[in-house]
Amino acid sequence: MGYPHPSHPRETPVLSKYFGDPEARTLAGWRARGGYEALEKALATDPVEIQNIVKESGLRGRGGAGFPTGMKWSFMKPDGKTHYLCCNADESEPGTFKDREIMRWTPHGLVEGVALGAHAIYAETAYIYIRGEFTEPYARVCAAVEEAYAAGILGANAMGSGKRVDVHVHRGAGAYICGEETALMNSLEGRRGNPRIKPPFPAVAGLFGKPTTINNVETLTAVPYIVKNGAEWYKQFGRADNPKSIGTKLFSVCGNISRPGNYEVALGFPFKEFLYDLCGGPLPGREIKAVIPGGSSVPILTREEAESALMDYEGMVAVGTMMGSGGVIVFDDRQDMVRQIARLTRFYAHESCAQCSQCREGTAWTTRIMERIRDGQGTAEDLDTLLSIADNMSGKTICVLSDSCATPVVSGLKKFRHEFEAKIAANRSQVTVPGALRAS
Ligand code: NAD
């Protein structure tokens, strides 16, 4: 894997400042750049104080859900029980590849955030659950953990603080569902990676039944900067009229775009300027047709909607979608949206753990129907059938994989219905079969 693109002048590089700098990967290099100063400070500070700094900073979960990090940490009390911190490094959302770059270039930044987070939630043991396919990031993170142990940063007397912080790196086996936090815990325990019913939330009964906090790579890596520079410093990043979205965010950009890659911007950045200025706009002679702004699980935007949006949690909700993981997928005017959405539904059907019937059956039937429409074999009833299945798949299952499959179908049908209808109209062998589901 290669070097990242040079930082654009309009980016706000905090977490990405050392992307492309191989020296930052080593312990000596990380320390020379101010690394581990925040951990040292934190280990000498009461966990409640750390929780309050993070609360005050406004940091929200960067894995996709945007849950306030300080609040999540404050669920963990000094109750004398064993606590665990899990770092979710299973980044598998289509279009999302930012955590991968954090681990490739600044693995010590992650280790520092993990150790700091463990201290802040009264945990002595933390796990980094890393996606199985992440070969290079896995090697980089393991090397950083080893170096940190050898230097006494981790272990029984972390940085001479008298506190124990152990970090274990666990490699997944390539299942998307294991990025869902409760499936991740089952997988860590050596079970099949099936999601668990919530509540109880992990904060009450998590890994091995103990109170557990699960945070994404980007979230944990941001924390040392906040502890070192203060909540007020972090609050400068964001738009003045939206105190709910604070900080910088890494966005991964892929698809039909001139300059794909990872970009770090202050939340609230105008999406139009992001797409056309930072990312160079569409390829020569093409036009953007649609954008999925937050990984494949969030509603698709038309070009006009995307161009009017602001890149933060509320800005994306305002145009009917979500910021999610920050994986921006761009489609230009050549793209067949039926084919693109069918690809996504096949992904979800493949990755369903099959525990819930709405998901097992819903993702499979949705894919079957999407693919027959794609192949010119669809009928007019198929569109209502898709919407009916989507309704039965949403809000009714243990986790949100099922909803995630339904989302691009529903938003795609709403915004690009004419493309579905054109394919159906071209099906000359069309016969009307009564009943909701017809065999393909
Ligand atoms: P969620 O809203 O259920 O939970 C978010 C976090 O807050 C969890 O850690 C949960 O335990 C905690 N939480 C929520 N309510 C709580 C409460 N009342 N008490 C205690 N803790 C509480 O969301 P989720 O299912 O964890 O995540 C869904 C998101 O994941 C989607 O929006 C999607 O964007 C994202 N996602 C990301 C990737 C990726 O690769 N980064 C992959 C798939 C999905």
Side-chain angles (χ1 to χ4, degrees):
M1 281 194 280
Y3 277 69
H5 60 80
S7 182
H8 188 281
R10 295 191 66 197
E11 283 187 72
T12 306
V14 177
L15 275 62
S16 59
K17 187 171 172 193
Y18 300 113
F19 284 9
D21 173 1
E23 285 178 20
R25 287 171 164 161
T26 64
L27 178 58
W30 192 244
R31 285 197 126 149
R33 287 157 184 75
Y36 289 112
E37 286 171 16
L39 177 61
E40 193 162 23
K41 178 176 162 186
L43 287 168
T45 309
D46 188 84
V48 174
E49 212 176 301
I50 305 288
Q51 293 175 4
N52 287 339
I53 293 171
V54 175
K55 246 189 214 170
E56 179 59 27
S57 77
L59 177 67
R60 291 168 64 180
R62 301 295 196 231
F67 195 86
T69 307
M71 186 194 291
K72 193 187 267 192
W73 286 7
S74 69
F75 298 148
M76 306 294 273
K77 306 289 182 199
D79 51 13
K81 294 181 187 167
T82 300
H83 291 183
Y84 292 111
L85 177 80
C86 294
C87 169
N88 189 344
D90 195 58
E91 180 172 66
S92 306
E93 182 74 344
T96 313
F97 43 88
K98 61 182 177 74
D99 296 343
R100 183 191 72 181
E101 291 301 281
I102 292 172
M103 291 186 280
R104 286 184 66 214
W105 293 107
T106 58
H108 279 287
L110 174 63
V111 172
E112 183 175 3
V114 168
L116 202 162
H119 169 65
I121 63 147
Y122 307 94
E124 292 189 339
T125 308
Y127 294 89
I128 300 175
Y129 187 101
I130 188 165
R131 178 178 172 163
E133 295 93 331
F134 277 174
T135 312
E136 190 201 343
Y138 174 70
R140 301 269 177 222
V141 171
C142 287
V145 168
E146 258 177 52
E147 272 191 308
Y149 267 108
I153 291 168
L154 298 176
N157 181 19
M159 300 197 87
S161 65
K163 304 205 167 107
R164 174 178 279 282
V165 182
D166 283 318
V167 176
H168 305 283
V169 186
H170 182 94
R171 201 163 179 188
Y176 172 73
I177 197 58
C178 287
E180 196 285 332
E181 62 177 7
T182 57
L184 184 154
M185 293 189 297
N186 274 346
S187 173
L188 262 180
E189 290 176 10
R191 301 162 197 261
R192 187 184 154 95
N194 282 359
R196 303 174 185 172
I197 291 171
K198 293 192 280 190
F201 285 95
V204 175
L207 188 63
F208 304 112
K210 306 293 184 197
T212 301
T213 297
I214 297 152
N215 292 127
N216 167 261
V217 167
E218 186 182 352
T219 313
L220 287 168
T221 308
V223 170
Y225 294 100
I226 295 168
V227 168
K228 192 167 156 185
N229 300 308
E232 284 308 314
W233 165 83
Y234 198 62
K235 282 161 127 175
Q236 70 178 295
F237 307 119
R239 52 180 162 125
D241 59 344
N242 182 16
K244 290 184 180 166
S245 283
I246 300 289
T248 64
K249 171 88 188 84
L250 278 158
F251 290 89
S252 313
V253 188
C254 67
N256 306 131
I257 191 84
S258 295
R259 288 198 291 269
N262 282 295
Y263 295 84
E264 186 174 10
V265 291
L267 286 174
F269 199 89
F271 205 14
K272 185 174 183 179
E273 291 169 39
F274 180 83
L275 290 168
Y276 290 87
D277 186 2
L278 278 67
C279 307
L283 299 173
R286 311 272 29 137
E287 260 188 27
I288 292 175
K289 173 162 49 174
V291 181
I292 307 184
S296 61
S297 310
V298 310
I300 304 172
L301 297 176
T302 61
R303 175 168 61 87
E304 294 76 14
E305 287 169 330
E307 288 178 6
S308 70
L310 294 174
M311 301 172 82
D312 60 26
Y313 298 100
E314 290 68 32
M316 288 297 174
V317 169
V319 291
T321 187
M322 288 183 293
M323 190 171 79
S325 58
V328 177
I329 309 172
V330 183
F331 304 94
D332 73 18
D333 51 331
R334 289 168 303 180
Q335 297 306 326
D336 171 347
M337 294 310 288
V338 176
R339 183 165 169 268
Q340 294 297 341
I341 295 165
R343 276 181 73 173
L344 292 177
T345 63
R346 173 157 287 282
F347 168 79
Y348 289 111
H350 179 73
E351 298 294 342
S352 169
C353 80
Q355 238 189 144
C356 306
S357 44
Q358 294 94 330
C359 180
R360 183 185 61 244
E361 299 300 320
T363 55
W365 275 105
T366 299
T367 304
R368 213 159 163 179
I369 298 172
M370 282 299 305
E371 290 183 351
R372 77 173 172 234
I373 298 174
R374 176 198 68 192
D375 296 342
Q377 300 294 313
T379 66
E381 299 86 60
D382 280 345
L383 302 188
D384 284 342
T385 307
L386 279 173
L387 291 175
S388 160
I389 298 173
D391 189 42
N392 283 311
M393 289 167 72
S394 303
K396 298 182 175 68
T397 46
I398 293 174
C399 81
V400 293
L401 188 145
S402 180
D403 306 60
S404 300
C405 178
T407 297
V409 175
V410 173
S411 59
L413 260 171
K414 192 170 159 198
K415 295 167 189 181
F416 300 98
R417 194 178 177 99
H418 55 283
E419 295 196 24
F420 288 73
E421 287 173 344
K423 285 198 180 289
I424 289 168
N427 176 11
R428 296 227 215 120
S429 64
Q430 199 165 166
V431 280
T432 305
V433 177
L437 299 174
R438 128 187 114 75
S440 60

